[in-house]
Amino acid sequence: MTKKKTVNKKPTKSKPRQKSQSLKELNEDLKTEKDKYVRLFAEFENYKRRTSKERVELFKTAGKEVLSSLVPVLEDFKRALEQDNSNGDNEGVKLIYNKFNETLKSQGLIEVEVNVGDVFDPELHEAISQIPSTENDQKGKIIDIIQGGYKLGNNILTFPKVVVAQ
């Protein structure tokens, strides 16, 4: 049999690492990394704020399509109430109209205020027709309101349909 020689290896001392960067360079690197961190954190905070604002806006206008499809029904109720019903059936229609109107208001539907005699604004009103005016002070003003307008929050769903004096 052969004997194996055991060799005692002494741990060799590693050479002291040479400084590849000076302390000044390390401080500059730390400063740039901190700056990157602060910018990234600020960007993330802005993202959180923006998405939460978008989410709130989405919830406010989530039922936009449903509410805009119910506006003609509300207008039909208004026209039904304006009809002269002397037989007493009008009371039930009034109750249904009030309940329906309050339900839509609770969902954020707001009627656009428009009155006869107001100045016509093409950004707020839709001109159905123009009628020649007999008086100069009526020119550019609303003579008749055909249908009311509605908005949801700040967005206009339907513009009020009006007749304008020329």
Side-chain angles (χ1 to χ4, degrees), residues 44-85:
F44 182 67
E45 287 297 316
N46 289 337
Y47 167 77
K48 284 191 332 187
R49 248 184 264 122
R50 186 179 67 243
T51 55
S52 67
K53 187 186 288 185
E54 288 172 355
R55 179 179 292 138
V56 167
E57 187 65 30
L58 178 66
F59 283 128
K60 284 182 182 177
T61 61
K64 182 178 181 179
E65 289 83 21
V66 173
L67 289 176
S68 62
S69 67
L70 292 175
V71 165
V73 177
L74 184 65
E75 286 297 314
D76 289 342
F77 266 119
K78 278 186 179 180
R79 282 190 285 278
L81 289 174
E82 290 172 1
Q83 297 298 318
D84 184 29
N85 287 341

Side-chain angles (χ1 to χ4, degrees), residues 117-143:
D118 288 350
V119 176
F120 174 73
D121 184 0
E123 294 194 18
L124 297 176
H125 309 110
E126 181 179 342
I128 297 298
S129 66
Q130 294 181 346
I131 297 177
S133 68
T134 56
E135 301 170 14
N136 282 340
D137 64 335
Q138 283 186 336
K139 287 187 178 181
K141 293 190 177 180
I142 297 171
I143 295 176

Side-chain angles (χ1 to χ4, degrees), residues 15-154:
K15 295 180 182 175
R17 254 174 82 187
Q18 293 180 346
K19 289 187 177 180
S20 61
Q21 295 179 337
S22 68
L23 185 60
K24 190 176 190 179
E25 289 174 336
L26 288 174
N27 283 335
E28 286 177 12
D29 286 346
L30 179 63
K31 186 177 178 182
T32 58
E33 292 301 318
K34 279 184 181 179
D35 185 51
K36 285 181 186 178
Y37 171 74
V38 168
R39 289 180 187 271
L40 184 63
F41 185 76
E43 188 176 323
F44 182 67
E45 287 297 316
N46 289 337
Y47 167 77
K48 284 191 332 187
R49 248 184 264 122
R50 186 179 67 243
T51 55
S52 67
K53 187 186 288 185
E54 288 172 355
R55 179 179 292 138
V56 167
E57 187 65 30
L58 178 66
F59 283 128
K60 284 182 182 177
T61 61
K64 182 178 181 179
E65 289 83 21
V66 173
L67 289 176
S68 62
S69 67
L70 292 175
V71 165
V73 177
L74 184 65
E75 286 297 314
D76 289 342
F77 266 119
K78 278 186 179 180
R79 282 190 285 278
L81 289 174
E82 290 172 1
Q83 297 298 318
D84 184 29
N85 287 341
S86 58
N87 58 7
D89 292 338
N90 208 10
E91 193 63 33
V93 174
K94 281 183 186 177
L95 290 173
I96 295 170
Y97 168 74
N98 288 336
K99 186 174 184 178
F100 188 58
N101 192 26
E102 290 303 315
T103 302
L104 293 178
K105 280 183 182 177
S106 71
Q107 296 300 316
L109 189 71
I110 303 167
E111 188 169 3
V112 176
E113 285 192 41
V114 59
N115 298 312
V116 174
D118 288 350
V119 176
F120 174 73
D121 184 0
E123 294 194 18
L124 297 176
H125 309 110
E126 181 179 342
I128 297 298
S129 66
Q130 294 181 346
I131 297 177
S133 68
T134 56
E135 301 170 14
N136 282 340
D137 64 335
Q138 283 186 336
K139 287 187 178 181
K141 293 190 177 180
I142 297 171
I143 295 176
D144 191 17
I145 302 165
I146 305 299
Q147 184 178 350
Y150 296 91
K151 61 183 181 177
L152 181 63
N154 293 332

